[in-house]
Amino acid sequence: MTTTTAAEQLLRLHRTGRLASDYPLVRDLLADVPPESRDLLRRAGAWLSRLNPDEVLRAHPDTSALTVAITGHGTLAALIAPLTVEFARHGLLLRPVLSDFDSYVVDLSDSDSDLYSARPEIVLCLLDPALIFDEVPTPWRPEDVRAVFEAKVALVAGLAARFAERGAGTLVLNTIPLPRTRTAALVDHRSRAELGAAWREANARLLRLTAAHRNVVVVDTDSLLADGIPAGDARLSVYAKAHLSTELLAGYAREIGHLARNLTGRAKKVLAVDLDGTVWGGVLGDDGPEGIEVADGYRGEAFRAFQRTVRQLAAQGVLVAAVSKNDIEPVRTVLREHPGMTLREDDFVRVVANWRPKHENLVELAEDLNVGVDSVVFADDSPYERGLVRRELPAVAVITLDDEPAWHVDRLLADGWFDTVELTAEDRDRPTKYRDELVRKDFLNSFDSIQDYLSELGVAVRVFAAGEQDVNRVAQLSLRTNQFNLTTRRLQPADVQALIRDPDALVLALRTADRFGDNGLVGAILAHREADVLHIDNFLLSCRVFARGVEQTALSVLLRHARDTGAGSVVGAYRSSAKNSKVREFYPRNGFSTVTDDGAEAVFRHDLVDIAAPPEHVTLTEELG
């Protein structure tokens, strides 16, 4: 769909008053709008920001709505429209809570403030240059700026610590851009260099706050300004106290949209790339291995840069697959033997090369990897292939590439499809583990029965009390796991850390291994005790290890632990989502009786009289502390 067509359809929805009733269409209309189409995004943001979120939810109750509190030093109302449109691009709904001018200190330090009362999932505290220069004397020297900035960093660090104590939501800060008008006001270059050094050192301390607090994120504005957008607008700054430009706010909003997508479990897992015209130049079937553009020449260098970026993503846990209309053997030959290739066959979890429609291959790829098609990002230079995938698989994120390979990297990274708050060791090992999983599937196909397969697989399960070193991975499971997620409760690292430290809470982690290797930390059970009842707040399990007896083993351990520590019963809940229907009957199938069930939510109870033993094919290790 062209940008013009998207604009016309959005305008039609706006004029006919159907934006709320047709809200899911907005995501599809905006999906392919590039960041440089600022005018369309600005207009769409203005229309969407006028919607009443409750009206959208009445029409579409399954829409994920996030409360976002906005505070800072300057006037920030202009952020709401771009933030609204960026949320809509990812199928999310914004509930903004805008603070008064320059109220960030009170907002973040007073636990009774309106900001905390709103219980936001995300808090945006925007920092701007006026925060520093409003307190610098006139005339001033670089050391004056250094002193003020250091004091402000100390203040912000204290506010971040105060926020972290509450353990609720994610606080987003930002580095502060240095306006040219400030450096140019110094006439000697040595002073300018001293100012630049002091400014960057202070910003570096802001960036390091993410290491001190698990629920703090810092957006680095330098990467946004590097794209050529202005940091501020002199008129808006002087007359309206809006010290960050509308262009910078739009770029910032895009980053927050990526963060919100991650926090609601919508991060992507699979990058499926075309080969001809995408990974290399030319058509392998026509040009042969010696004729494709890989590394030599200026276009070859552009394809090499794209390959390096794809490999960089794979090294951080993105599951990279090739989906190409080609014969498989020539493709494998190029990936294994071509001297100019950066990507090799081992960098892909799956290489699919045939002449079937690509949307069919993508469905099969998702099934093989045991992920939903909405976890897939598809990059192709062919308008026909992209259009077909968009029509047949609207849940797949499609990246528009064309015959200019120099733009491939920018377009691949523009929407931060694989962004996450923090990488874990399991992330980096994910491609290897998924390749092992495909070997397991081939192994399964050699058996006549699933029980024979499981007996030979050698499943080992370790159930243990989670510690501080497991916080990030358990939080990530709650954010990224959608299928085996009983209540879809999303937790930030600070939330998990608080539970681990709570004497009335229980956080169990699950690690598994088998004859093909270690699967890592693949599941968690979160529970808390009230009198003699143990309540299961959530049960999470990676889709990689479904149906091997892991879930039954872990539940058996939990039930026995509850009985042995004096509990009279265990209560578990199920909350329906778009993806977890396969676990609706998990508790009833494992000895729980139904207490309530209204279709959307259900509560189940186990009386701890008859507790099933772990499956015989599982080797169990318990370390409950």
Side-chain angles (χ1 to χ4, degrees), residues 48-76:
L48 291 166
S49 62
R50 299 171 194 168
L51 290 179
N52 182 337
D54 292 332
E55 185 180 352
V56 175
L57 290 172
R58 280 193 294 271
H60 307 283
D62 293 333
T63 304
S64 292
L66 282 83
T67 300
V68 178
I70 303 170
T71 188
H73 173 65
T75 302
L76 297 168

Side-chain angles (χ1 to χ4, degrees), residues 172-453:
V172 182
L173 304 169
N174 60 278
T175 59
I176 304 177
L178 175 59
R180 182 189 175 279
T181 54
R182 298 299 181 174
T183 57
L186 296 171
V187 297
D188 67 298
H189 286 279
R190 292 189 184 279
S191 293
R192 291 178 181 179
E194 185 181 348
L195 174 64
W199 198 272
R200 287 164 177 80
E201 287 162 5
N203 271 332
R205 287 193 287 276
L206 285 174
L207 289 167
R208 292 191 184 100
L209 290 177
T210 60
H213 307 293
R214 294 183 185 274
N215 58 347
V216 172
V217 171
V218 181
V219 174
D220 190 352
T221 58
D222 279 358
S223 61
L224 302 176
L225 298 172
D227 285 338
I229 62 177
D233 182 303
R235 291 171 303 172
L236 289 174
S237 181
V238 172
Y239 302 136
K241 304 302 180 187
H243 303 301
L244 301 174
S245 73
T246 55
E247 295 91 343
L248 181 54
L249 291 178
Y252 172 88
R254 200 171 188 91
E255 297 296 315
I256 302 306
H258 302 166
L259 173 66
R261 185 180 60 211
N262 172 257
L263 296 180
T264 54
R266 286 169 165 77
K268 305 295 185 179
K269 299 177 182 178
V270 181
L271 172 59
V273 294
D274 171 48
L275 296 177
D276 293 336
T278 298
V279 167
W280 58 63
V283 177
L284 179 59
D286 296 336
D287 302 321
E290 67 286 347
I292 60 175
E293 299 171 293
V294 178
D296 298 328
Y298 69 94
R299 282 176 56 85
E301 286 292 339
F303 286 109
R304 193 212 300 265
F306 181 72
Q307 290 190 34
R308 285 174 173 167
T309 302
V310 171
R311 198 175 195 199
Q312 173 72 14
L313 294 176
Q316 298 170 89
V318 176
L319 306 176
V320 177
V323 178
S324 173
K325 284 191 173 177
N326 261 306
D327 293 322
I328 186 64
E329 288 308 319
V331 167
R332 284 181 172 154
T333 299
V334 169
L335 294 176
R336 292 170 182 170
E337 302 176 9
H338 197 292
M341 287 291 294
T342 298
L343 283 171
R344 294 296 182 184
E345 189 172 19
D346 288 346
D347 293 312
F348 297 91
V349 294
R350 182 71 103 196
V351 176
V352 180
N354 55 42
W355 299 96
R356 294 170 54 195
K358 288 193 177 181
H359 69 278
E360 294 180 3
N361 282 327
L362 290 175
V363 170
E364 190 171 290
L365 172 67
E367 290 174 350
D368 287 344
L369 296 174
N370 201 14
V371 300
V373 292
D374 60 349
S375 295
V376 178
V377 176
F378 175 61
D380 199 310
D381 68 308
S382 166
Y384 169 79
E385 301 293 355
R386 295 194 307 269
L388 181 62
V389 170
R390 281 196 184 96
R391 188 186 70 190
E392 299 296 330
L393 302 174
V396 171
V398 178
I399 296 175
T400 299
L401 304 179
D402 55 28
D403 58 1
E404 177 47 83
W407 292 112
H408 281 13
V409 171
D410 292 284
R411 291 174 178 175
L412 172 62
L413 301 178
D415 258 313
W417 291 114
F418 308 103
D419 287 3
T420 185
V421 173
E422 184 171 356
L423 281 181
T424 65
E426 282 79 6
D427 287 325
R428 299 185 188 279
D429 291 342
R430 186 181 296 116
T432 299
K433 296 184 186 304
Y434 270 86
R435 280 192 289 268
D436 292 343
E437 184 57 28
L438 294 174
V439 173
R440 290 183 183 92
K441 292 198 176 201
D442 293 338
F443 183 64
L444 168 61
N445 292 335
S446 68
F447 287 88
D448 293 329
S449 75
I450 187 67
Q451 193 55 50
D452 290 342
Y453 163 71

